[in-house]
Amino acid sequence: MTEIPEDVKARAKQLGEQLEKHNYAYYVLDAPTVSDAEFDRLMRELQAIEAQYPELQTPDSPTQRVGGRALDAFNSVRHAVPMLSLGNAFDDEEVTAFDQRVSQTLRQAGQMPDSGSVEYFCELKLDGLALSLRYENGLLTQAATRGDGQTGEDVTANVRTIRSIPLKLKALAPSVIEVRGEVFMDHEDFKRLNERQAARGDKVFVNPRNAAAGSLRQLDPKVTATRPLRFFAYGWGEVSEPLRSTHSEMLDWIAELGLPVNRVEHACVQGSQGLLDFYRRVGAKRAALDYDIDGVVYKVNSLVAQKTLGFVAKAPRFALAHKFAAEEAQTKLVGIDLQVGRTGAITPVARLAPVFVGGVTVTNATLHNEDEIRRKDVRIGDTVIVRRAGDVIPEVVGPVLDKRPDNAVLFQMVSQCPVCGSAIERPEGEAVARCTGGLFCGAQRKQSLIHAASRKALDIEGLGDKLVEQLVDRGRVHSLADIFALSEQELAGYERMGQKSAQNLVQAIDVARKPPLERFIYALGIRHVGETTARDLARHFMSIEALMAANEESLLSVPDVGPVVAASVAHFFAETHNREVIADLLKAGVQPQAPEVVTGANADVAGQTFVLTGTLPTWTREEASAAIMAAGGKVSGSVSKKTSYVVAGEEAGSKLSKAESLGVPVIDEDGLKALLGIG
């Protein structure tokens, strides 16, 4: 081994310290201390030294940010402390209710006086990608995405290329600390990235969040190294030494360790009024920020109080995300198309001049129904306001009347189905017009088959939308029973269907020949019959033959089945073509399996109504539902005052909020298992 001169060792150490200092000043403090040319000169000098003396190259060297070899795939990482999601609020009342719940709990625990108010730490909610950084003895050892909150993807190689993230913490670092935060891309960097992509003829990104997420999950770290990613810390996971006393003090400490913390807009405030004032102040500045945010986050500042408040369904009771209102934009309404749904419902869809709103380019938006179009006075040719929030389907809010052209055209509902030509009827008292063609209508037939093959129905994996369209358009499939006569040989001749795909699909069809009765009933697509009603019907009648023979009076004896549902079910089975399809299914070997008879009802569960929301740690919703029903309980799809329990998992949404507002008990998977007597 070549002996390394002491002056070379000293110079390498000096260069490493200088480069990290300049990195910190530029990417964390946003206060450059040298020119780009000087930074590059220092980097090249260090790279030359390390090339000549590889022993001097350390894992935390600034030269190691350029990216290593490409990865075959990302490994899974189990978070030592789960990365929790947050409950959401969209209006002032929800924020006030959150503060009241927090205050009441802390008063009951004797941690605040009756007349006092809670102190909260408020910060921006960046629209990026959550990331966990693990440091051991001051060195970055692992970086992982949030994933499902319990398990994420190992993106360490890529994260090492992000210059705002230190490879080595400053002095006084604990032996272990997991720092949580957000990876994002600011507007200017995003613009420059897309300009480079376009100049090379590469795909441009839709928005900064997509660009950040795609860059972080590149299999080749060298690609990530070319992307202008940034990071802000906002929390922590596992920490090996005692915590500070408040959330704000913890973030100050994390900043002292050398990690970037967003200092642009944050505050400690008192009570709900302080929260709402912060929200409005940030909202007024939102457009001027250098990066995208989709709301603000409130956290009880005292860590002792946070511990007292604890968690519900793997989400903290001490924190809340207050989202901004839906984004809106204006564009031209160039036409109105009609879509035909599974039950014949005719839905008007606005065809729009492309407009960027809510993070995506929108060309279509729902107009709901004819009455809504009249109520909003929307006309073809209008300039309209389009709204989109998160993953919600875009909708037309209304016209901009002072921009209405003289030749704007009123919408008129047609009298014949645009797909099959059958008459369109609008039953008295209903808002939706419907095609009367039934399964004669190709659109209804396609949607019925897609519904029947879906995961919650017959679960025929591989029978997707595109293949269904081909099967119907070619006249090969006229009813659900025809699916069970498909062969590998003929399927292999369809577009995007090779021999292996055809074989897998036929196997999936064979498995679907013995569906649970409730899934079979749900697959039939009876109007007003959802999963819960299908389960109730299956448990009451125990066979498809008994259900087909039932009249409205006997249907009304089923729990939670009212006159509308009973009439719809009776009407469905009175139709000759529906009975013929079921007969053909039975001839094709389809054998619906009766539900198991509940023999040992659990006293804590029997007769109770449960609602499932979010993702449970170890059970699927189907497994949890089956366990509840086996113990004599009921599973519903909506929360009401009659709900006994809401079982909430990760990413629990509006059902959780409604349960809390109605005072319905909320439990997690462990709580459900305890009620069921499962260890």
Side-chain angles (χ1 to χ4, degrees):
M1 181 181 293
T2 305
E3 185 174 349
I4 304 173
E6 291 300 321
D7 63 331
V8 174
K9 290 182 182 178
R11 181 56 179 164
K13 184 174 184 295
Q14 181 186 39
L15 286 169
E17 290 173 348
Q18 286 180 337
L19 286 166
E20 279 306 309
K21 180 180 177 182
H22 297 321
N23 257 334
Y24 182 77
Y26 186 92
Y27 291 102
V28 178
L29 302 180
D30 198 22
T33 50
V34 293
S35 67
D36 290 347
E38 175 63 11
F39 184 91
D40 291 342
R41 186 190 69 77
L42 296 173
M43 179 66 78
R44 286 195 298 271
E45 183 181 352
L46 180 58
Q47 287 172 331
I49 292 174
E50 291 181 352
Q52 184 175 359
Y53 302 102
E55 303 93 321
L56 292 178
Q57 187 182 86
T58 60
D60 60 322
S61 170
T63 64
Q64 297 308 291
R65 292 188 182 276
V66 296
R69 66 177 180 85
L71 306 173
D72 295 326
F74 296 111
N75 295 320
S76 295
V77 174
R78 184 80 175 176
H79 299 301
V81 176
M83 294 185 71
L84 305 175
S85 56
L86 296 176
N88 293 324
F90 294 92
D91 55 41
D92 292 3
E93 290 73 20
E94 289 176 306
V95 173
T96 301
F98 164 72
D99 176 56
Q100 289 173 344
R101 289 195 301 271
V102 168
S103 300
Q104 183 179 9
T105 301
L106 294 181
R107 288 192 182 100
Q108 290 174 346
Q111 292 185 10
M112 65 176 290
D114 291 342
S115 59
S117 56
V118 179
E119 182 178 69
Y120 296 95
F121 179 80
C122 306
E123 60 192 338
L124 306 183
K125 187 177 185 299
L126 275 74
D127 192 14
L129 192 72
L131 186 70
S132 178
L133 306 172
R134 183 178 179 87
Y135 290 88
E136 296 180 0
N137 299 315
L139 295 178
L140 177 65
T141 59
Q142 191 172 71
T145 61
R146 181 182 181 276
D148 63 4
Q150 301 289 332
T151 304
E153 292 177 321
D154 188 337
V155 290
T156 309
N158 290 348
V159 166
R160 292 177 68 85
T161 72
I162 302 175
R163 297 182 184 275
S164 60
I165 295 177
L167 303 179
K168 182 179 182 179
L169 297 180
K170 294 183 177 181
L172 304 177
S175 59
V176 173
I177 181 171
E178 287 184 3
V179 178
R180 271 69 189 279
E182 201 87 356
V183 172
F184 67 100
M185 199 176 290
D186 69 23
H187 295 153
E188 191 59 35
D189 286 339
F190 173 70
K191 178 182 176 183
R192 285 198 293 263
L193 172 62
N194 265 350
E195 288 173 349
R196 292 201 304 270
Q197 294 286 106
R200 291 196 297 262
D202 293 335
K203 173 186 173 183
V204 296
F205 294 97
V206 174
N207 55 46
R209 187 187 190 284
N210 287 350
S215 300
L216 188 64
R217 299 190 69 257
Q218 288 288 327
L219 291 177
D220 188 351
K222 288 187 175 66
V223 176
T224 306
T226 67
R227 304 286 173 79
L229 297 176
R230 297 173 182 266
F231 175 81
F232 275 141
Y234 56 64
W236 60 94
E238 181 181 5
V239 181
S240 60
E241 69 176 50
L243 305 179
R244 277 44 177 177
S245 61
T246 65
H247 192 91
S248 57
E249 289 174 358
M250 281 294 295
L251 291 184
D252 289 341
W253 178 49
I254 288 172
E256 290 170 7
L257 293 174
L259 286 143
V261 174
N262 192 352
R263 300 300 194 187
V264 172
E265 190 69 42
H266 69 277
C268 289
V269 305
Q270 301 290 325
S272 60
Q273 191 57 53
L275 299 177
L276 296 174
D277 288 344
F278 179 83
Y279 176 80
R280 295 186 179 101
R281 186 166 68 249
V282 170
K285 298 179 179 179
R286 182 185 182 190
L289 293 174
D290 295 332
Y291 39 77
D292 289 341
I293 62 173
D294 56 2
V296 298
V297 175
Y298 311 133
K299 297 172 183 173
V300 174
N301 200 25
S302 165
L303 299 191
V304 172
Q306 286 188 9
K307 187 175 181 180
T308 298
L309 290 159
F311 307 89
V312 54
K314 306 297 188 273
R317 293 180 184 272
F318 55 80
L320 185 72
H322 191 176
K323 296 292 192 71
F324 287 125
E327 290 190 42
E328 296 181 345
Q330 293 185 14
T331 189
K332 184 77 73 176
L333 174 60
V334 297
I336 296 178
D337 295 334
L338 297 176
Q339 288 185 348
V340 185
R342 174 173 58 85
T343 61
I346 305 293
T347 302
V349 177
R351 283 192 292 111
L352 307 168
V355 61
F356 193 78
V357 56
V360 299
T361 299
V362 173
T363 56
N364 297 296
T366 182
L367 287 165
H368 300 292
N369 55 56
E370 186 179 11
D371 285 351
E372 277 292 283
I373 295 175
R374 296 279 181 269
R375 184 182 67 80
K376 293 177 178 178
D377 189 24
V378 174
R379 305 182 187 185
I380 299 169
D382 273 341
T383 295
V384 295
I385 299 170
V386 181
R387 174 187 296 157
R388 183 179 183 275
D391 295 325
V392 177
I393 297 171
E395 69 168 335
V396 173
V397 178
V400 182
L401 293 177
D402 59 1
K403 294 184 178 181
R404 171 167 286 169
D406 294 336
N407 61 348
V409 178
L410 282 167
F411 170 76
Q412 295 291 335
M413 178 62 75
V414 296
S415 59
Q416 292 182 312
C417 174
V419 175
C420 71
S422 298
I424 289 179
E425 294 180 354
R426 181 175 169 182
E428 187 177 349
E430 293 193 13
V432 177
R434 296 182 186 276
C435 165
T436 59
L439 293 181
F440 171 74
C441 176
Q444 292 187 60
R445 199 182 321 150
K446 289 175 184 177
Q447 293 301 318
S448 295
L449 291 169
I450 291 168
H451 167 78
S454 65
R455 184 175 61 86
K456 294 179 179 180
L458 297 182
D459 193 18
I460 305 177
E461 188 174 352
L463 188 59
D465 299 14
K466 297 297 184 184
L467 180 56
V468 167
E469 288 180 6
Q470 293 181 68
L471 291 168
V472 173
D473 289 343
R474 294 189 188 185
R476 175 60 182 89
V477 171
H478 295 87
S479 76
L480 180 56
D482 293 335
I483 295 293
F484 291 88
L486 295 171
S487 67
E488 288 183 26
Q489 184 176 359
E490 65 175 316
L491 283 170
Y494 282 81
E495 184 180 345
R496 299 181 182 178
M497 285 294 291
Q499 193 65 44
K500 184 63 176 177
S501 297
Q503 181 183 352
N504 290 339
L505 176 53
V506 169
Q507 290 176 351
I509 291 172
D510 285 339
V511 171
R513 291 182 196 275
K514 291 189 177 182
L517 178 58
E518 62 266 28
R519 283 175 174 260
F520 182 81
I521 295 170
Y522 180 63
L524 294 176
I526 306 169
R527 194 175 171 208
H528 300 306
V529 175
E531 296 172 75
T532 301
T533 302
R535 283 196 296 264
D536 291 340
L537 293 170
R539 292 173 65 180
H540 185 86
F541 291 102
M542 300 302 288
S543 74
I544 188 64
E545 292 81 3
L547 176 59
M548 292 170 66
N551 57 26
E552 286 191 44
E553 185 179 353
S554 58
L555 287 164
L556 285 170
S557 67
V558 179
D560 298 326
V561 170
V564 172
V565 174
S568 179
V569 174
H571 176 74
F572 180 89
F573 289 116
E575 292 284 348
T576 302
H577 65 268
N578 289 333
R579 300 180 75 90
E580 288 174 349
V581 168
I582 294 171
D584 290 342
L585 284 166
L586 298 179
K587 287 178 185 177
V590 178
Q591 302 172 5
Q593 306 297 297
E596 294 183 10
V597 178
V598 179
T599 56
N602 184 311
D604 293 328
V605 177
Q608 303 294 315
T609 300
F610 293 76
V611 173
L612 303 170
T613 181
T615 303
L616 301 179
T618 65
W619 268 351
T620 64
R621 289 200 200 183
E622 289 77 12
E623 290 169 339
S625 297
I628 291 168
M629 290 187 293
K634 302 177 184 177
V635 179
S636 175
S638 59
V639 180
S640 70
K641 291 182 178 180
K642 295 181 180 179
T643 303
S644 307
Y645 297 96
V646 166
V647 183
E650 289 290 336
E651 302 294 343
S654 59
K655 292 177 184 178
L656 175 58
S657 301
K658 186 170 183 180
E660 291 176 338
S661 67
L662 293 175
V664 174
V666 177
I667 59 176
D668 58 11
E669 182 183 296
D670 291 339
L672 174 59
K673 288 181 176 178
L675 283 176
L676 294 169
I678 299 175

